[in-house]
Amino acid sequence: MVFTTTSLFKGINCPQSESCTLTNCIFAHDHKPKSTSLQFESEPQRIATTAVSTDNGGGPPLKRRRVTYDKAEDRPPSKADLIRSRTFLIERPGVKAPQSLKRSVSPPAKTNTKATSSTTTEANNNTVDSKATSTHDSTSQQKLDLNPRLIPNDPAGHAKRSVYLRHLHGEMVRLNTQLVERKDVHFKVGLTLQTHELVQLAVDEEETLAREHGGVYGNVVKNRIGAYRKMKSDEWIAHIKSTPVFAKKQSPSVTRQGAPDAPKVIDTGLSPIEEVAVAAHLVVDDQKLLAQFGYVPTPPTPEQAAEAAAAVEASWNFEICDRCTSRFQVYPQRNVDGLLTSNGDCRHHPNRKIFPQRTKADTGPKEPYYPCCNEAVGSAGCAVTEYHVFKASSPARLAAVMPFCTTPENINPAKTKRGKKVKAVAFDCEMGYTTLGLELIRLTAVSWPEGEELADVLVRPFGIILDLNSRFSGVWPEDMARAIPPPPTSLPPQLDGFADHTPTPPPPGLPIVDSPYKARDLLCSFLTPTTPLIGHAIENDLNVVRLCHPTIIDTIIAFPHPRGLPLRYGLKMLCSKYLGRAIQQGGERGHDSLEDSRATGDLVRVKVGEKWKLLRATGWSFVQGRLVGPEVPGEGRRGSEGGLGESLVDKAINGERKRKKRGAGVGADGEEGGSLASFLERSKDTGATAGGQLSHELSVAYLEDETIGSDK
């Protein structure tokens, strides 16, 4: 039987012992017990032993023994272990340790986080400043090409515009050279322009002329070049001081990237009294045309209000929730269980749905969504409130809670805190939900065009409060809790120059009035039927106050949506576009009615400036402080009464796009060119038979149409 002898005799010492010459001996040589600890030699001893062992009389080399270990501690250190040990470095001082050995493995030591962050922030700010400064310097000093900028609807082509631009630049260089050579002008360093500044000034002015006067661009730019040729040095200095280039030189501070732009300065070129006179052309003449959009031109009759109240009672106060659209019942005086509404909690989306704008690249459908949670329409609400709420919209239903009234005659209207007469009023209201619907909870009024605060009060509603709508109204329960009684109505006026500027501590809260009646009386104390009342979507504010005012100016009428009512622009968007001002930035704290009322008044000032340019171009002027129109043969000058409010209402209702489509073909009334035909018909009805007056009306309406169309 053949079997292998491997490892069978490893436990038996070789009989030949050290004299065994076999290469692969089946016996054990120098076998030691497992309990014997191994003794490791140092490197010199190992080398000496190897030398002795190899000197074995010329015989074959000794067999290399395989050593096994029972424990890891018994294993001798490897070469890698020796590299990591300091013993290896001491024994071999010439060997350089790798860089990885110097790297700390333990976590880094804790440092002062605040100090580090502040230092880092300061360093970053300094870096931003240096980058912004270097960028500004490089931008201001870089060489600009004398090349007209590319604009849509180029009026004359690049070649002709380049010729006009070179002439403009040449005249500017000539005037600047004359100013440098003058010796009697002080501060010439600030008045003289560098080469790149002259190029920028010429390019900017040529672009402005091309954009604003496209139809008559050639004539306008030639007249401008001629004006520069006739201009003297003193006139050139006055012109330079009014340019953005000079203003930029006077304010060397650098605006950091990402900082908001400064609000636009409103300069109408008119005095406050003249602004009020021009604003008469923005008044809505016929509010009956707007009745279909929620305006209440005349108060409902008591019979209509009683009929609406009976209908509510017959329906057992069942309503549709204004948020989640579920049906629920209202208990105005609480039920036996102490509840105010039925059907449990209200789960809804606090923001309105948004329809994404489609582009030419969009091929599939784009579903509307809610911006509060970015969920699609039809998803479960992301907010839960305790009560369902509702809003009554019909005039009779509103009058059943609080009757409407028309602005009464006021022989002695209240004045401002400085004793000045109130020329116009801009106001804004905040509403909250109660058991009687949407009621007034805050009223704010400011004088126009000064923007001085007239009244800012909280209002205690008739019904039990369900939701103050704080996310939008800005009125919170703590505001109602710390409200103070209203001040006495008879306050001594503060005359200009003698006003008491002693600082007084701020009140703990806003004053509060007992009912919406007192809030309405407070507003009417500053008004007469002919006082312009200004607001944004003013029908909401007037309806919640239950007031019918004959003289209103609405910013949604002055700045109409291109597609017409009921579509309208928001106040926040209008302020950003026309005022360069960011409002309603309170986030979850809601809106501020004082801020909104002042912003609404400033928007009307912008429109007054545009309207004055239009009127002045058509022959209107101020004679002894009174706005009069051009002379009409046989009738003399026209007064400022009877503004263009009706045409503004027509724009707001029909929209720019609808009127253009209607004017291109058959009008809505079956006549060719509906908008013009209806205007002619209205002119005949009002007795405008004189040819001069009719042509003037048409030119004003046409120019006004073009002006408003260019804003969109």
Side-chain angles (χ1 to χ4, degrees):
M1 180 176 181
V2 180
F3 60 91
T4 178
T5 60
T6 304
S7 302
L8 292 179
F9 303 99
K10 287 296 183 182
I12 304 174
N13 292 332
C14 182
Q16 299 295 328
S17 186
E18 297 294 336
S19 60
C20 180
T21 59
L22 296 177
T23 302
N24 296 317
C25 183
I26 63 175
F27 295 99
H29 289 266
D30 295 333
H31 176 73
K32 296 181 180 180
K34 295 181 180 180
S35 60
T36 306
S37 61
L38 297 176
Q39 300 294 331
F40 298 101
E41 302 174 320
S42 63
E43 188 69 13
Q45 293 176 352
R46 187 182 64 80
I47 295 175
T49 305
T50 304
V52 172
S53 62
T54 55
D55 189 11
N56 54 359
L62 297 178
K63 183 180 69 171
R64 183 178 179 182
R65 294 174 297 177
R66 180 180 180 182
V67 183
T68 59
Y69 307 96
D70 294 336
K71 298 180 180 180
E73 292 81 1
D74 299 338
R75 184 182 181 88
S78 63
K79 188 175 181 180
D81 297 334
L82 293 176
I83 291 176
R84 296 187 182 94
S85 64
R86 291 183 177 273
T87 305
F88 179 82
L89 297 178
I90 294 174
E91 292 179 355
R92 296 188 178 185
V95 179
K96 185 177 181 181
Q99 294 293 333
S100 60
L101 293 179
K102 300 180 181 180
R103 186 169 54 225
S104 177
V105 179
S106 59
K110 293 183 178 181
T111 58
N112 190 350
T113 307
K114 294 183 179 180
T116 305
S117 61
S118 61
T119 306
T120 306
T121 304
E122 183 178 358
N124 293 339
N125 292 341
N126 294 336
T127 305
V128 172
D129 291 341
S130 61
K131 288 183 179 180
T133 306
S134 60
T135 304
H136 176 265
D137 295 340
S138 61
T139 304
S140 61
Q141 298 297 335
Q142 67 182 356
K143 183 179 179 180
L144 299 177
D145 295 331
L146 194 63
N147 196 20
R149 294 193 180 103
L150 181 63
I151 62 173
N153 301 325
D154 196 324
H158 184 272
K160 289 186 178 181
R161 289 181 60 196
S162 299
V163 174
Y164 293 141
L165 178 58
R166 285 195 295 269
H167 283 287
L168 277 174
H169 179 258
E171 296 301 327
M172 292 180 180
V173 172
R174 179 184 62 82
L175 291 170
N176 188 68
T177 305
Q178 292 179 359
L179 184 59
V180 173
E181 295 175 353
R182 288 185 58 175
K183 298 181 180 180
D184 58 336
V185 179
H186 300 284
F187 308 107
K188 288 195 300 183
V189 177
L191 294 174
T192 55
L193 303 179
Q194 300 180 9
T195 303
H196 68 279
E197 293 174 338
L198 289 170
V199 174
Q200 180 181 356
L201 184 61
V203 172
D204 291 344
E205 183 164 355
E206 192 276 336
E207 181 187 7
T208 302
L209 297 178
R211 287 181 179 274
E212 297 181 357
H213 306 282
V216 290
Y217 165 75
N219 295 335
V220 174
V221 71
K222 290 176 183 178
N223 293 336
R224 193 59 185 162
I225 295 172
Y228 279 128
R229 288 180 179 176
K230 299 176 182 179
M231 189 177 292
K232 304 298 181 182
S233 296
D234 295 335
E235 299 174 352
W236 171 251
I237 292 174
H239 174 68
I240 285 297
K241 290 182 178 180
S242 63
T243 58
V245 175
F246 180 79
K248 188 176 181 180
K249 293 178 67 174
Q250 299 302 312
S251 56
S253 59
V254 179
T255 303
R256 295 182 182 177
Q257 296 181 356
D261 298 334
K264 299 178 182 178
V265 178
I266 304 175
D267 185 12
T268 61
L270 301 171
S271 64
I273 298 178
E274 293 174 344
E275 289 186 10
V276 175
V278 176
H281 292 267
L282 303 177
V283 172
V284 178
D285 287 343
D286 191 1
Q287 298 184 31
K288 294 181 180 179
L289 299 176
L290 300 173
Q292 55 181 322
F293 303 108
Y295 292 77
V296 182
T298 57
T301 62
E303 292 77 12
Q304 293 174 336
E307 182 181 357
V312 173
E313 185 178 358
S315 66
W316 295 88
N317 289 326
F318 275 94
E319 304 288 348
I320 300 298
C321 183
D322 194 31
R323 291 172 171 172
C324 66
T325 67
S326 62
R327 192 167 183 263
F328 69 102
Q329 188 177 10
V330 182
Y331 308 111
Q333 302 300 328
R334 296 184 183 271
N335 63 354
V336 294
D337 297 329
L339 298 178
L340 294 174
T341 61
S342 64
N343 204 6
D345 296 336
C346 177
R347 180 178 293 274
H348 63 281
H349 294 279
N351 291 351
R352 297 179 180 178
K353 61 183 178 182
I354 292 180
F355 293 87
Q357 294 185 354
R358 298 184 59 87
T359 61
K360 295 182 179 179
D362 296 332
T363 56
K366 301 187 75 173
E367 299 295 334
Y369 66 96
Y370 292 104
C372 50
C373 58
N374 293 327
E375 294 291 338
V377 174
S379 61
C382 59
V384 179
T385 54
E386 184 178 1
Y387 301 109
H388 295 280
V389 295
F390 72 98
K391 172 186 176 182
S393 56
S394 66
R397 178 81 182 274
L398 295 174
V401 178
M402 177 180 173
F404 280 80
C405 77
T406 305
T407 305
E409 294 290 342
N410 193 353
I411 302 176
N412 188 20
K415 298 183 179 180
T416 65
K417 295 179 181 180
R418 296 184 178 274
K420 293 185 177 181
K421 182 181 178 181
V422 177
K423 296 176 283 294
V425 176
F427 86 117
D428 184 63
C429 297
E430 302 296 346
M431 288 78 84
Y433 292 102
T434 71
T435 54
L436 299 179
L438 197 63
E439 290 195 66
L440 176 67
I441 58 176
R442 183 180 178 182
L443 184 143
T444 304
V446 298
S447 64
W448 188 87
E450 297 86 358
E452 183 180 353
E453 179 183 334
L454 298 177
D456 190 8
V457 295
L458 297 176
V459 183
R460 185 172 286 111
F462 292 124
I464 302 176
I465 296 177
L466 299 177
D467 192 340
L468 288 174
N469 203 23
S470 304
R471 182 184 178 122
F472 301 101
S473 67
V475 179
W476 294 81
E478 54 267 25
D479 297 329
M480 304 291 285
R482 64 168 179 259
I484 60 176
T489 55
S490 59
L491 291 177
Q494 297 181 358
L495 301 179
D496 292 340
F498 300 95
D500 186 11
H501 297 285
T502 304
T504 58
L510 289 174
I512 186 170
V513 294
D514 295 336
S515 67
Y517 283 110
K518 293 188 177 181
R520 184 173 65 184
D521 294 341
L522 179 61
L523 176 63
C524 292
S525 65
F526 300 98
L527 300 176
T528 65
T530 58
T531 303
L533 189 59
I534 302 169
H536 178 77
I538 198 172
E539 80 279 5
N540 297 321
D541 302 319
L542 291 175
N543 291 348
V544 77
V545 180
R546 307 296 197 272
L547 181 65
C548 298
H549 190 70
T551 311
I552 62 172
I553 299 176
D554 199 339
T555 50
I556 68 170
I557 304 298
F559 301 92
H561 194 279
R563 295 171 60 183
L565 291 174
L567 298 179
R568 57 188 66 184
Y569 289 119
L571 181 62
K572 186 175 181 179
M573 191 282 296
L574 291 176
C575 289
S576 176
K577 180 178 180 180
Y578 294 99
L579 302 179
R581 183 187 309 171
I583 65 170
Q584 300 175 358
Q585 301 297 310
E588 295 294 333
R589 294 303 301 174
H591 301 174
D592 183 4
S593 57
L594 182 60
E595 178 188 45
D596 292 350
S597 58
R598 285 173 174 163
T600 303
D602 290 342
L603 284 172
V604 175
R605 291 192 64 204
V606 171
K607 182 56 67 174
V608 164
E610 298 177 359
K611 179 66 69 175
W612 169 238
K613 292 180 181 178
L614 169 67
L615 296 176
R616 185 174 56 183
T618 54
W620 291 73
S621 62
F622 283 96
V623 178
Q624 297 180 354
R626 184 171 178 267
L627 181 62
V628 295
E631 293 186 1
V632 179
E635 298 184 8
R637 285 184 174 269
R638 298 175 57 198
S640 60
E641 296 80 7
L644 303 176
E646 187 176 0
S647 59
L648 289 176
V649 173
D650 180 66
K651 292 181 181 64
I653 295 176
N654 297 322
E656 190 70 19
R657 300 174 185 174
K658 294 180 182 177
R659 288 187 295 107
K660 287 183 178 179
K661 293 180 180 179
R662 186 178 64 183
V666 178
D669 52 357
E671 300 179 9
E672 189 172 348
S675 178
L676 180 59
S678 60
F679 185 86
L680 290 172
E681 189 65 28
R682 291 196 305 270
S683 301
K684 292 179 181 179
D685 294 340
T686 54
T689 56
Q693 182 176 355
L694 179 59
S695 61
H696 171 72
E697 294 270 0
L698 288 175
S699 62
V700 170
Y702 173 78
L703 290 175
E704 181 188 20
D705 196 1
E706 293 297 321
T707 303
I708 295 181
S710 63
D711 294 340
K712 305 305 174 190

